[in-house]
Amino acid sequence: MYALVDCNNFYASCERVFQPQLVGKPIVILSNNDGCIISRSDEAKALGIAMGAPEFKVRQELKDKNIHIFSSNYSLYGDLSNRVMKILEGFTPHTEPYSIDEAFMNFDGMSITNYHDYGLQMKQRIMKWLGIPVSIGFAETKALSKVANKIARKYPERTQGVYVIDTDEKRVKALKWTKIEDVWGIGFRLNKKMKAQNINTAYDFTLQRHEAFIKKEMGVVGLRLKYELEGKSVLELELPKDRKTIAITRSFASNITTLDEMKERVSTFATVCAEKLRKQHSCCHSVLLYLRKDKYKTERERYNFYKIHTLPFASNSSITISNAAVKMLKAIFEEGEIYKKAGVILTEIIPENQKQFHLFEEENPKHLKLMQVIDAYHKKTGERKIRLGSQDLQRTWKMKQVHLSKRYTTNFNEILEIPCR
């Protein structure tokens, strides 16, 4: 038996944990640089606030409807997400985090007599320990557990936030209720093609007469999804894998026109990429730099620029990778042009223990010890206080975050304060 645990309106729920006066109030969360709405509470949805709406276009509407606005607080959301996952691991070690607010669980080999009651225990523990509401769906396959979760979320009064598909009758009823656009893996384009073939529900998707069309449009992936919805488990839990590419790309809070300012951003992006390499015990052979001009403020037709540099040796040193990125930047940066976005991408990644050493050209051995000290300090304090000289010493990302809440769980200086009288 599988389960999908989904945190309800996760970003908004994280804000409410430390500001309980906002429970029941409409909330929206903005993307990087306070650009677009990326999360809404149920109350905000009921008021007609559109997902993905640019903040500047709905600013007056948000004000008129007294909707609370927050900038994305990734430190808080990431920490609370990790805590949710740790709690879930207490119910089964077979847990696969699927996204920041979702996780699949497998209960094979466990003797559970009542999955609904077991789900309620999970739900109540997360609420008691963290204050995060969740919905839980149980079924024989991962795809069906997604469907069960939607039912639990849609009808909380009847399901108590937990729904179990444990009979074929329940499965068929659930599939007939589920619209094809709500099926896991069916995007906008596929949705249009499915409806053109009169596939309007998840149940229609499982009918034998549509199998040839599904195979043609979706290949093996589509057939696996069909089998999953039929109750045949073909998708196993996935173990965490090392990433084959690591990238940091960001739009700037304000456009950049000078080399020095761009150099600081690129150096910071490269440093964070190197940290992620070391965290998964890997090295890279290639560094790619990406720059994007403001296409509305340039007279040139081309506004995207890429340059790649192959390192003479595999490395995960922030110094080596940053130097390579800055060297490429100096070669392609154009003074007087207006830049909107930049990024650093690491490719040709190999395990750290497979690194080959060279006889005549090799990295300074002092880098390894220095990186270990920096990583240990960052892990202990949770902050990047030790940086390269080319970085901004005050902050990591220069993002516009006008409505940012406190980092209650990751920054000691912003810990929750309770007045005692």
Side-chain angles (χ1 to χ4, degrees), residues 166-264:
D166 52 2
T167 66
D168 200 54
E169 181 182 359
K170 283 186 176 181
R171 180 186 68 83
V172 172
K173 184 178 180 180
L175 294 183
K176 288 182 176 179
W177 171 82
T178 304
K179 296 177 182 179
I180 188 63
E181 58 264 32
D182 293 332
V183 173
W184 186 26
I186 303 296
F188 176 75
R189 292 183 180 178
L190 277 174
N191 176 39
K192 292 177 65 176
K193 292 181 179 180
M194 294 293 169
K195 289 186 174 179
Q197 294 293 318
N198 204 30
I199 303 175
N200 298 306
T201 67
Y203 179 75
D204 297 335
F205 188 87
T206 63
L207 296 178
Q208 186 63 34
R209 66 175 180 267
H210 297 306
E211 184 167 315
F213 171 76
I214 292 170
K215 184 176 181 180
K216 177 185 175 183
E217 291 296 328
M218 300 179 66
V220 176
V221 173
L223 292 179
R224 286 177 179 170
L225 177 58
K226 179 177 181 293
Y227 298 151
E228 285 267 317
L229 294 175
E230 291 173 344
K232 306 167 187 173
S233 180
V234 294
L235 299 175
E236 302 293 335
L237 290 185
E238 296 183 6
L239 297 174
K241 297 179 180 178
D242 291 341
R243 285 174 287 183
K244 299 302 181 183
T245 61
I246 290 176
I248 297 292
T249 60
R250 292 289 187 276
S251 296
F252 306 129
S254 57
N255 291 335
I256 288 179
T257 58
T258 66
L259 177 60
D260 286 343
E261 194 175 4
M262 181 66 82
K263 179 181 175 183
E264 191 280 328

Side-chain angles (χ1 to χ4, degrees), residues 231-371:
K232 306 167 187 173
S233 180
V234 294
L235 299 175
E236 302 293 335
L237 290 185
E238 296 183 6
L239 297 174
K241 297 179 180 178
D242 291 341
R243 285 174 287 183
K244 299 302 181 183
T245 61
I246 290 176
I248 297 292
T249 60
R250 292 289 187 276
S251 296
F252 306 129
S254 57
N255 291 335
I256 288 179
T257 58
T258 66
L259 177 60
D260 286 343
E261 194 175 4
M262 181 66 82
K263 179 181 175 183
E264 191 280 328
R265 292 292 82 202
V266 167
S267 180
T268 295
F269 297 166
T271 299
V272 177
C273 283
E275 288 178 15
K276 292 186 176 185
L277 263 185
R278 298 194 294 273
K279 190 173 182 180
Q280 70 174 36
H281 304 290
S282 299
C283 294
C284 77
H285 279 287
S286 297
V287 182
L288 186 147
L289 175 67
Y290 163 66
L291 297 181
R292 181 175 183 176
K293 296 179 182 178
D294 188 331
K295 64 179 180 180
Y296 301 109
K297 297 180 180 179
T298 181
E299 297 179 356
R300 313 277 181 90
E301 289 187 4
R302 183 183 176 192
Y303 53 88
N304 285 318
F305 297 86
Y306 297 88
K307 190 171 181 63
I308 192 166
H309 176 78
T310 300
L311 301 174
F313 41 77
S315 175
N316 57 20
S317 164
S318 296
I319 299 172
T320 300
I321 293 172
S322 176
N323 286 344
V326 171
K327 182 179 179 181
M328 289 186 287
L329 173 65
K330 291 178 179 179
I332 65 174
F333 185 85
E334 297 179 43
E335 290 285 357
E337 290 290 322
I338 301 173
Y339 291 88
K340 189 179 184 65
K341 187 175 183 179
V344 174
I345 304 170
L346 308 184
T347 62
E348 296 186 62
I349 294 175
I350 62 170
E352 194 176 41
N353 57 10
Q354 293 181 16
K355 176 181 177 180
Q356 293 185 349
F357 292 92
H358 295 256
L359 181 61
F360 300 106
E361 189 173 13
E362 189 50 66
E363 192 166 63
N364 189 330
K366 293 181 180 179
H367 285 201
L368 176 61
K369 187 63 178 176
L370 179 58
M371 295 303 115

Side-chain angles (χ1 to χ4, degrees), residues 7-25:
C7 301
N8 302 341
N9 302 322
F10 182 60
Y11 288 0
S13 296
C14 289
E15 299 292 351
R16 285 170 169 164
V17 169
F18 297 96
Q19 301 182 70
Q21 72 274 15
L22 297 179
V23 174
K25 303 290 179 64

Side-chain angles (χ1 to χ4, degrees), residues 29 36-40 45 48-54:
I29 311 296
C36 302
I37 294 174
I38 58 170
S39 181
R40 305 160 296 164
K45 295 174 187 177
I49 302 302
M51 184 68 164

